[in-house]
Amino acid sequence: VSASLFSGTVQAATLDEIKARGYISTASEDDFRPFVFVQNGKPTGFEHELLDELSKYAPFKVNRDIIPWTGMLAALAAGKYDAAVTGTIMTEDRLKAYDFVTPISSATHFFVRRAGDNSLQSVADLSGKTLGVQAGSAQLARLPELKALLAQTGGTLGKVVEYPSTPEIYADLANGRLDYMINSIIGAQSVVKERPKVFALGQPVSGAGYHGWMVAKGNTDLLIYLSGFIAQMRTSGRLGELQNKWF
Protein backbone atom coordinates (compact mmCIF):
# COMPACT_ATOMS: atom_id res chain seq x y z
CA VAL A 1 0.00 0.00 0.00
CA SER A 2 1.37 3.40 -0.91
CA ALA A 3 0.91 6.56 1.11
CA SER A 4 2.19 9.78 -0.40
CA LEU A 5 1.47 13.41 -1.03
CA PHE A 6 -0.18 14.01 -4.41
CA SER A 7 1.54 10.95 -5.89
CA GLY A 8 0.77 9.18 -9.13
CA THR A 9 -1.41 9.90 -12.10
CA VAL A 10 -4.58 7.86 -11.64
CA GLN A 11 -8.06 7.90 -13.13
CA ALA A 12 -11.38 7.15 -11.49
CA ALA A 13 -12.45 3.71 -12.65
CA THR A 14 -15.38 1.35 -12.59
CA LEU A 15 -15.26 -1.75 -10.38
CA ASP A 16 -14.40 -3.94 -13.38
CA GLU A 17 -11.58 -1.59 -14.38
CA ILE A 18 -10.25 -1.57 -10.82
CA LYS A 19 -10.20 -5.37 -10.73
CA ALA A 20 -8.53 -5.52 -14.14
CA ARG A 21 -5.71 -3.11 -13.27
CA GLY A 22 -5.30 -4.55 -9.78
CA TYR A 23 -5.77 -1.54 -7.47
CA ILE A 24 -8.19 1.09 -6.21
CA SER A 25 -6.96 4.66 -5.84
CA THR A 26 -8.12 6.38 -2.64
CA ALA A 27 -7.57 9.83 -1.13
CA SER A 28 -7.59 10.63 2.58
CA GLU A 29 -7.09 14.05 4.12
CA ASP A 30 -4.07 14.92 6.19
CA ASP A 31 -5.48 15.90 9.59
CA PHE A 32 -9.06 15.17 10.64
CA ARG A 33 -8.79 13.30 13.93
CA PRO A 34 -9.80 10.63 14.79
CA PHE A 35 -10.81 9.65 11.25
CA VAL A 36 -7.53 10.28 9.44
CA PHE A 37 -4.24 11.88 10.44
CA VAL A 38 -0.49 11.38 10.13
CA GLN A 39 1.51 10.31 13.17
CA ASN A 40 5.28 9.84 13.09
CA GLY A 41 5.11 10.08 9.32
CA LYS A 42 2.58 7.25 9.04
CA PRO A 43 -1.13 7.55 8.10
CA THR A 44 -3.36 6.37 10.94
CA GLY A 45 -6.87 6.73 12.37
CA PHE A 46 -10.25 5.06 12.00
CA GLU A 47 -10.38 5.30 8.21
CA HIS A 48 -6.90 3.90 7.69
CA GLU A 49 -7.74 0.88 9.81
CA LEU A 50 -10.85 0.43 7.68
CA LEU A 51 -8.64 0.60 4.58
CA ASP A 52 -6.45 -2.11 6.13
CA GLU A 53 -9.59 -4.24 6.37
CA LEU A 54 -10.51 -3.41 2.77
CA SER A 55 -7.05 -4.63 1.71
CA LYS A 56 -7.89 -8.03 3.23
CA TYR A 57 -11.42 -8.07 1.80
CA ALA A 58 -10.81 -6.93 -1.76
CA PRO A 59 -9.17 -8.87 -4.62
CA PHE A 60 -7.12 -5.77 -5.48
CA LYS A 61 -4.57 -3.51 -3.80
CA VAL A 62 -5.62 -0.38 -1.93
CA ASN A 63 -3.47 2.63 -2.85
CA ARG A 64 -3.65 5.67 -0.57
CA ASP A 65 -2.72 9.29 -1.13
CA ILE A 66 -2.81 11.84 1.67
CA ILE A 67 -3.99 15.23 0.43
CA PRO A 68 -5.45 18.42 1.99
CA TRP A 69 -9.23 18.48 2.41
CA THR A 70 -9.48 21.65 0.32
CA GLY A 71 -8.47 19.73 -2.81
CA MET A 72 -10.13 16.39 -2.16
CA LEU A 73 -13.58 16.87 -3.63
CA ALA A 74 -12.21 18.54 -6.76
CA ALA A 75 -9.72 15.69 -7.21
CA LEU A 76 -12.50 13.12 -6.90
CA ALA A 77 -14.71 15.01 -9.36
CA ALA A 78 -11.80 15.28 -11.81
CA GLY A 79 -11.30 11.52 -11.77
CA LYS A 80 -7.92 11.55 -10.06
CA TYR A 81 -9.20 9.17 -7.38
CA ASP A 82 -11.74 6.35 -7.28
CA ALA A 83 -12.88 7.07 -3.72
CA ALA A 84 -12.53 9.75 -1.05
CA VAL A 85 -11.91 7.97 2.24
CA THR A 86 -12.28 10.34 5.16
CA GLY A 87 -14.93 11.50 7.62
CA THR A 88 -16.91 13.32 4.93
CA ILE A 89 -20.30 14.48 6.15
CA MET A 90 -23.30 13.96 3.90
CA THR A 91 -25.02 17.17 2.78
CA GLU A 92 -27.70 17.87 0.19
CA ASP A 93 -25.23 19.59 -2.13
CA ARG A 94 -22.70 16.77 -1.88
CA LEU A 95 -25.36 14.15 -2.52
CA LYS A 96 -26.15 15.94 -5.78
CA ALA A 97 -22.52 15.82 -6.93
CA TYR A 98 -21.24 12.52 -5.47
CA ASP A 99 -22.48 9.13 -4.33
CA PHE A 100 -22.00 8.18 -0.68
CA VAL A 101 -21.13 4.72 0.53
CA THR A 102 -23.13 3.31 3.47
CA PRO A 103 -22.54 5.62 6.50
CA ILE A 104 -19.79 4.73 8.95
CA SER A 105 -20.84 6.96 11.87
CA SER A 106 -23.14 9.73 13.02
CA ALA A 107 -22.24 13.39 12.46
CA THR A 108 -24.41 15.68 14.55
CA HIS A 109 -22.59 18.99 14.98
CA PHE A 110 -21.64 20.44 18.38
CA PHE A 111 -19.95 23.65 19.36
CA VAL A 112 -16.56 23.55 21.07
CA ARG A 113 -15.39 26.32 23.43
CA ARG A 114 -12.30 27.04 25.47
CA ALA A 115 -12.31 25.06 28.70
CA GLY A 116 -11.96 28.20 30.79
CA ASP A 117 -14.71 30.17 29.04
CA ASN A 118 -17.80 29.44 31.14
CA SER A 119 -19.78 32.20 29.43
CA LEU A 120 -20.70 29.80 26.60
CA GLN A 121 -22.91 27.16 28.17
CA SER A 122 -25.84 26.99 25.76
CA VAL A 123 -26.63 27.73 22.12
CA ALA A 124 -28.23 31.02 23.20
CA ASP A 125 -24.85 32.15 24.59
CA LEU A 126 -23.33 31.95 21.08
CA SER A 127 -25.28 35.01 19.88
CA GLY A 128 -22.96 37.56 18.31
CA LYS A 129 -19.83 35.52 19.09
CA THR A 130 -17.01 34.86 16.61
CA LEU A 131 -17.12 31.40 15.06
CA GLY A 132 -14.44 29.42 13.20
CA VAL A 133 -15.36 26.83 10.55
CA GLN A 134 -13.51 24.97 7.84
CA ALA A 135 -13.97 26.32 4.31
CA GLY A 136 -16.08 24.06 2.12
CA SER A 137 -17.16 21.95 5.09
CA ALA A 138 -20.52 20.54 6.08
CA GLN A 139 -20.30 22.66 9.22
CA LEU A 140 -20.28 25.75 7.01
CA ALA A 141 -23.09 24.44 4.82
CA ARG A 142 -25.28 23.71 7.83
CA LEU A 143 -24.83 27.07 9.58
CA PRO A 144 -28.43 28.05 8.69
CA GLU A 145 -29.49 25.46 11.28
CA LEU A 146 -27.50 27.27 13.98
CA LYS A 147 -28.83 30.60 12.75
CA ALA A 148 -32.38 29.29 13.16
CA LEU A 149 -31.63 27.97 16.66
CA LEU A 150 -30.23 31.35 17.67
CA ALA A 151 -33.24 33.15 16.22
CA GLN A 152 -35.52 31.08 18.46
CA THR A 153 -33.82 32.65 21.48
CA GLY A 154 -33.71 36.14 19.99
CA GLY A 155 -30.02 35.81 19.11
CA THR A 156 -28.04 36.25 15.90
CA LEU A 157 -25.12 34.52 14.24
CA GLY A 158 -21.92 36.50 14.80
CA LYS A 159 -18.80 36.82 12.66
CA VAL A 160 -17.87 33.64 10.77
CA VAL A 161 -14.19 33.04 9.98
CA GLU A 162 -13.32 30.32 7.44
CA TYR A 163 -10.11 28.29 7.70
CA PRO A 164 -8.32 25.87 5.35
CA SER A 165 -8.01 23.17 8.02
CA THR A 166 -9.47 22.13 11.37
CA PRO A 167 -6.18 22.27 13.34
CA GLU A 168 -5.86 25.96 12.46
CA ILE A 169 -9.31 26.58 13.90
CA TYR A 170 -8.45 24.88 17.17
CA ALA A 171 -5.22 26.87 17.39
CA ASP A 172 -7.08 30.18 17.06
CA LEU A 173 -9.77 29.06 19.48
CA ALA A 174 -7.13 28.16 22.04
CA ASN A 175 -5.36 31.53 21.73
CA GLY A 176 -8.59 33.54 21.97
CA ARG A 177 -8.97 34.74 18.38
CA LEU A 178 -12.25 32.80 18.19
CA ASP A 179 -15.04 32.35 20.72
CA TYR A 180 -16.06 28.89 19.51
CA MET A 181 -15.85 26.42 16.63
CA ILE A 182 -18.13 23.72 15.26
CA ASN A 183 -17.26 20.10 14.59
CA SER A 184 -19.06 16.78 14.28
CA ILE A 185 -19.60 15.02 17.60
CA ILE A 186 -16.83 12.47 16.97
CA GLY A 187 -14.22 15.04 16.02
CA ALA A 188 -15.28 17.32 18.86
CA GLN A 189 -15.15 14.56 21.47
CA SER A 190 -11.73 13.48 20.21
CA VAL A 191 -10.08 16.88 20.66
CA VAL A 192 -11.75 17.49 24.04
CA LYS A 193 -10.54 14.08 25.24
CA GLU A 194 -6.99 14.81 24.05
CA ARG A 195 -6.86 18.36 25.46
CA PRO A 196 -9.43 18.61 28.28
CA LYS A 197 -7.68 21.58 29.89
CA VAL A 198 -7.90 23.56 26.66
CA PHE A 199 -11.27 22.68 25.09
CA ALA A 200 -14.76 21.81 26.29
CA LEU A 201 -17.77 20.34 24.49
CA GLY A 202 -20.89 22.47 24.11
CA GLN A 203 -24.39 21.67 22.86
CA PRO A 204 -25.64 20.37 19.48
CA VAL A 205 -26.01 23.06 16.79
CA SER A 206 -27.51 20.89 14.05
CA GLY A 207 -29.82 17.98 13.41
CA ALA A 208 -28.64 14.45 12.75
CA GLY A 209 -26.00 13.77 10.10
CA TYR A 210 -23.73 10.99 8.88
CA HIS A 211 -20.11 10.40 7.82
CA GLY A 212 -19.33 8.28 4.76
CA TRP A 213 -16.90 7.56 1.94
CA MET A 214 -17.57 9.08 -1.49
CA VAL A 215 -17.26 7.92 -5.10
CA ALA A 216 -17.98 9.69 -8.36
CA LYS A 217 -21.64 10.20 -9.19
CA GLY A 218 -22.97 7.26 -11.17
CA ASN A 219 -20.12 4.85 -10.36
CA THR A 220 -22.78 2.41 -9.19
CA ASP A 221 -20.91 -0.89 -9.17
CA LEU A 222 -18.10 0.54 -7.07
CA LEU A 223 -20.64 2.18 -4.75
CA ILE A 224 -22.42 -1.15 -4.23
CA TYR A 225 -19.14 -2.98 -3.69
CA LEU A 226 -17.84 -0.56 -1.05
CA SER A 227 -21.24 -0.43 0.67
CA GLY A 228 -21.14 -4.24 0.78
CA PHE A 229 -17.74 -4.06 2.42
CA ILE A 230 -19.02 -1.67 5.11
CA ALA A 231 -22.04 -3.94 5.65
CA GLN A 232 -19.73 -6.93 6.09
CA MET A 233 -17.64 -4.97 8.60
CA ARG A 234 -20.81 -4.16 10.53
CA THR A 235 -22.11 -7.74 10.47
CA SER A 236 -18.78 -9.19 11.59
CA GLY A 237 -18.57 -6.73 14.47
CA ARG A 238 -15.28 -5.31 13.24
CA LEU A 239 -16.81 -1.90 12.44
CA GLY A 240 -18.09 -1.65 16.00
CA GLU A 241 -14.65 -2.57 17.35
CA LEU A 242 -13.00 0.21 15.35
CA GLN A 243 -15.71 2.71 16.34
CA ASN A 244 -15.15 1.89 20.01
CA LYS A 245 -11.38 2.18 19.61
CA TRP A 246 -11.34 5.53 17.81
CA PHE A 247 -14.59 7.26 18.77
Side-chain angles (χ1 to χ4, degrees):
V1 177
S2 67
S4 57
L5 293 175
F6 302 104
S7 70
T9 55
V10 292
Q11 297 293 322
T14 65
L15 180 60
D16 286 342
E17 289 170 339
I18 288 169
K19 290 179 178 178
R21 75 187 184 192
Y23 67 89
I24 183 173
S25 171
T26 71
S28 297
E29 59 185 299
D30 49 355
D31 199 344
F32 186 45
R33 298 169 184 257
F35 291 95
V36 287
F37 57 100
V38 178
Q39 191 169 55
N40 299 322
K42 181 181 178 181
T44 189
F46 172 78
E47 304 288 11
H48 284 292
E49 288 213 40
L50 261 187
L51 285 177
D52 290 342
E53 297 294 335
L54 180 60
S55 295
K56 303 171 188 176
Y57 175 89
F60 43 76
K61 293 180 180 179
V62 178
N63 290 348
R64 315 176 197 187
D65 276 9
I66 312 300
I67 68 174
W69 163 254
T70 50
M72 184 173 295
L73 300 190
L76 181 64
K80 182 171 176 61
Y81 297 102
D82 305 314
V85 177
T86 186
T88 310
I89 300 172
M90 299 180 182
T91 65
E92 290 185 11
D93 285 343
R94 289 175 185 169
L95 286 167
K96 294 174 184 176
Y98 308 92
D99 284 334
F100 275 84
V101 176
T102 299
I104 52 174
S105 64
S106 63
T108 301
H109 297 158
F110 280 67
F111 78 84
V112 179
R113 60 177 175 85
R114 283 185 299 283
D117 184 3
N118 295 318
S119 67
L120 303 183
Q121 295 294 326
S122 68
V123 172
D125 296 331
L126 304 179
S127 180
K129 301 295 185 179
T130 301
L131 159 68
V133 294
Q134 187 174 18
S137 67
Q139 288 86 350
L140 181 63
R142 297 183 69 177
L143 279 187
E145 294 179 54
L146 173 56
K147 190 175 182 179
L149 288 173
L150 286 167
Q152 291 175 10
T153 64
T156 58
L157 186 65
K159 181 181 178 181
V160 178
V161 184
E162 297 183 33
Y163 290 78
S165 68
T166 303
E168 292 174 86
I169 305 175
Y170 281 120
D172 272 6
L173 176 59
N175 63 34
R177 291 193 178 96
L178 299 171
D179 296 310
Y180 69 106
M181 65 89 66
I182 293 173
N183 204 348
S184 65
I185 181 58
I186 292 170
Q189 286 178 329
S190 176
V191 76
V192 169
K193 182 179 179 180
E194 289 180 6
R195 303 172 68 186
K197 294 182 179 180
V198 181
F199 302 112
L201 187 66
Q203 293 184 334
V205 294
S206 79
Y210 300 95
H211 293 280
W213 297 358
M214 292 188 302
V215 300
K217 196 72 177 177
N219 199 348
T220 307
D221 287 346
L222 180 58
L223 176 68
I224 292 172
Y225 184 83
L226 293 177
S227 290
F229 161 68
I230 297 298
Q232 193 274 337
M233 288 292 98
R234 181 173 287 109
T235 300
S236 70
R238 182 59 176 152
L239 183 65
E241 290 175 2
L242 292 177
Q243 289 171 332
N244 288 334
K245 175 181 178 179
W246 290 103
F247 301 160

